[in-house]
Amino acid sequence: MQENTVRPLGGDTRASWIRLRTMILLRWFAIGGQLTAITVAQHWYGLQLELGLCYLVIGASVIANLVAIFIFPENKRLGEVENMLMVMFDLLQLSILLFLTGGLHNPFALLMLGPVTISAAVLTLRSTVLLGSTAILMVSILSQIHLPLRTDSGLILEIPQLFVFGHWIALIIAIVFISAYSVRVTSEIHSMSDALAATQMALAREQKLTDLGGVVAAAAHELGTPLATIKLASGELYEELINHPDLREDAALIREQADRCRDILRDMGRAGKDDLHLRQAPLMAVIEEAAEPHMGRGKTVHFHHLGDPTEQPSILRKPEIIHGLRNLIQNAVDFAETDIWIEAGWSDDSISLRIMDDGCGFPPQLLGRIGDPFMRRRRNTASSGLRPGYEGMGLGLFIAKTLLERSGAELRFANGRDPVAVEEGKRTDLGAIVHVTWERQRIDAHDRDQARQFGENRQFAV
């Protein structure tokens, strides 16, 4: 797979997002619910519970919360091990309480899923497996060993063994399924969050480079006034120092250097403010600008255009377009054998671009997932030999796809030997092919200028 390598945030980082105060607050809610359930069962339904032991187990949670409150600051962020130990404590405390109140005959046994779900959402896979295995072990023990629920008359409340068995199986399946589901969904969310953050950083960097021209123009404007004052003062000194030749030469030198600075600033201001190339440029010029950092890497980049050169569109130099194309070109250069082809075409309605290389292409089984962030795949011996030291995660292509789609582009990924690629590409010896298409009005600078001018004229008329 062809993409940049970026290390995502790990599970240990996610665990440190949870504040101790949040876990303490959740535990207080659990303690309140447990006390309420025991009180209602005892006084309203007349169940004979081991109140002393039940209060002892609940008191352990109260003491643990009080210790955490007085020893640690409220804004403490829990590490991986600390978070795992807190969730493990809650799981074992709930298991003991269920042992005292009927085991799986108690409908509140369903709450065993809570600690496992929390673990799957914020902890690493190793911690989640450990907690899930503990939960399954506790559920299995509670299905066989527990104190029975008795009424005032001594009647034992229990459900048929078939239902106990079904309850046990359902809890085990729920623990495994919810854990796997939560791990998968949470991983997708965090991967997308990390990738979008990287995309924003890339776009901000490109935007700073684009805005540099405006900074240069502003600097030239601001420095013009003091330089004019220096030139005026040096000219007056030059006229006054007729009888002091040495000093008069110094004044002449100051005036000469002030004139030189004025000329430099004038050129800078013109380049930063008046040059339309900072805001728009011919399509092929933008493509060559995007490819320029990768031109000297030992591969040959061929540029072709399929339209009439005299009708080449001038497009907006958006940072997202330049950086997105640069990532796609880097992707092609990284894994091409010798050559990369970049073909641009345009019509009255659309502008299209194809980036092709003669490498080994995209893995066919991953074509449908290209553009997903942090997409790993197993590396076999052959791929390891072709790509030594490489472990891609799809972030480069995700950034490129996100930025280009933000500009209005549609992207398609294919291999040169795919039927669609052969039909459209007219080449059967290519590796990877990336097809980028815009509606012309989305990036054509001429169309955008006309639309903007129409809006300004309409506003002036109003």
Side-chain angles (χ1 to χ4, degrees):
M1 188 65 205
Q2 308 180 21
E3 60 270 312
N4 295 336
T5 302
V6 175
R7 184 181 180 84
L9 297 177
D12 188 59
T13 304
R14 295 202 302 268
S16 65
W17 292 354
I18 306 300
R19 292 185 303 172
L20 176 62
R21 182 179 180 181
T22 301
M23 298 300 291
I24 291 174
L25 184 62
L26 290 175
R27 186 175 288 170
W28 283 129
F29 279 115
I31 291 171
Q34 291 168 0
L35 288 173
T36 301
I38 290 176
T39 302
V40 170
Q42 177 76 17
H43 296 286
W44 286 14
Y45 295 101
L47 298 182
Q48 299 302 306
L49 303 175
E50 296 291 341
L51 289 180
L53 294 177
C54 290
Y55 287 140
L56 179 62
V57 174
I58 297 174
S61 289
V62 174
I63 293 173
N65 257 11
L66 293 176
V67 170
I69 290 173
F70 289 108
I71 291 182
F72 301 104
E74 289 187 357
N75 60 349
K76 175 180 174 57
R77 301 282 177 176
L78 296 175
E80 169 72 20
V81 176
E82 295 170 328
N83 222 326
M84 191 269 291
L85 290 176
M86 287 200 70
V87 177
M88 181 67 77
F89 175 86
D90 293 335
L91 178 63
L92 295 177
Q93 187 262 0
L94 179 60
S95 299
I96 296 174
L97 196 59
L98 288 172
F99 167 79
L100 298 173
T101 57
L104 294 192
H105 297 275
N106 188 332
F108 288 102
L110 185 65
L111 294 176
M112 293 287 286
L113 298 176
V116 178
T117 303
I118 294 175
S119 170
V122 299
L123 300 181
T124 61
L125 182 60
R126 178 183 300 177
S127 298
T128 301
V129 171
L130 176 60
L131 285 164
S133 301
T134 303
I136 292 175
L137 177 62
M138 292 295 102
V139 168
S140 301
I141 293 175
L142 290 173
S143 67
Q144 301 298 323
I145 305 173
H146 55 270
L147 298 182
L149 289 173
R150 296 180 183 273
T151 64
D152 287 336
S153 60
L155 178 66
I156 297 178
L157 297 178
E158 59 181 7
I159 59 178
Q161 282 301 117
L162 180 61
F163 284 91
V164 173
F165 177 76
H167 198 185
W168 173 67
I169 292 293
L171 282 174
I172 291 178
I173 293 175
I175 289 171
V176 174
F177 175 76
I178 292 179
S179 297
Y181 182 84
S182 298
V183 167
R184 180 66 179 177
V185 171
T186 304
S187 176
E188 291 279 345
I189 292 173
H190 288 298
S191 295
M192 185 64 68
S193 176
D194 296 342
L196 288 175
T199 303
Q200 292 297 327
M201 290 174 61
L203 182 58
R205 177 180 178 275
E206 201 69 35
Q207 186 67 54
K208 288 179 180 179
L209 295 176
T210 302
D211 293 341
L212 194 58
V215 175
V216 170
H221 175 74
E222 295 295 331
L223 292 174
T225 300
L227 280 175
T229 303
I230 293 173
K231 180 181 177 182
L232 178 62
S234 62
E236 293 177 353
L237 287 174
Y238 181 82
E239 298 297 334
E240 295 292 335
L241 296 174
I242 297 177
N243 298 325
H244 300 79
D246 295 339
L247 296 177
R248 196 180 191 200
E249 289 181 4
D250 291 338
L253 180 61
I254 293 174
R255 185 173 64 178
E256 177 185 345
Q257 294 302 314
D259 288 337
R260 183 181 176 189
C261 289
R262 179 199 61 193
D263 296 337
I264 293 173
L265 289 176
R266 182 186 295 118
D267 294 338
M268 290 172 61
R270 183 180 301 113
K273 185 176 181 180
D274 299 330
D275 190 0
L276 291 178
H277 187 74
L278 287 174
R279 297 188 295 272
Q280 63 187 59
L283 174 62
M284 297 305 298
V286 173
I287 295 172
E288 291 176 4
E289 178 184 356
E292 192 275 333
H294 307 292
M295 296 289 287
R297 297 179 53 193
K299 310 290 176 65
T300 304
V301 181
H302 307 274
F303 298 93
H304 303 283
H305 53 78
L306 306 179
D308 186 350
T310 61
E311 298 179 358
Q312 180 180 171
S314 181
I315 67 171
L316 299 173
R317 292 186 65 256
K318 290 183 176 182
E320 53 264 39
I321 294 178
I322 296 174
H323 194 84
L325 292 179
R326 185 167 295 160
N327 269 18
L328 293 179
I329 294 170
Q330 175 186 351
N331 190 57
V333 172
D334 282 343
F335 299 109
E337 295 290 340
T338 57
D339 296 282
I340 299 93
W341 296 271
I342 303 176
E343 292 184 351
W346 52 86
S347 65
D348 294 338
D349 301 323
S350 64
I351 295 175
S352 62
L353 181 68
R354 288 194 305 154
I355 300 173
M356 304 165 284
D357 63 69
D358 61 352
C360 56
F362 299 113
Q365 71 275 16
L366 297 181
L367 272 175
R369 295 177 55 201
I370 295 177
D372 291 346
F374 305 120
M375 179 179 60
R376 293 180 180 271
R377 73 182 185 95
R378 292 187 179 274
R379 297 169 57 201
N380 53 36
T381 305
S383 65
S384 299
L386 291 173
R387 305 172 183 181
Y390 176 78
E391 184 182 6
M393 292 180 289
L395 185 57
L397 287 180
F398 170 81
I399 291 176
K401 188 171 183 289
T402 301
L403 292 178
L404 291 172
E405 287 179 346
R406 178 174 177 171
S407 71
E410 293 183 2
L411 280 78
R412 287 185 295 160
F413 300 89
N415 289 325
R417 295 177 179 83
D418 287 352
V420 175
V422 171
E423 179 182 350
E424 296 183 356
K426 310 302 182 184
R427 285 193 176 98
T428 59
D429 58 341
L430 297 177
I433 298 179
V434 182
H435 197 149
V436 187
T437 307
W438 293 270
E439 292 182 7
R440 182 157 180 162
Q441 61 182 1
R442 298 294 296 270
I443 63 170
D444 191 297
H446 179 68
D447 290 345
R448 297 293 290 269
D449 288 341
Q450 281 186 335
R452 183 170 57 252
Q453 176 147 9
F454 174 76
E456 291 174 353
N457 292 340
R458 182 178 179 183
Q459 183 178 8
F460 179 77
V462 173

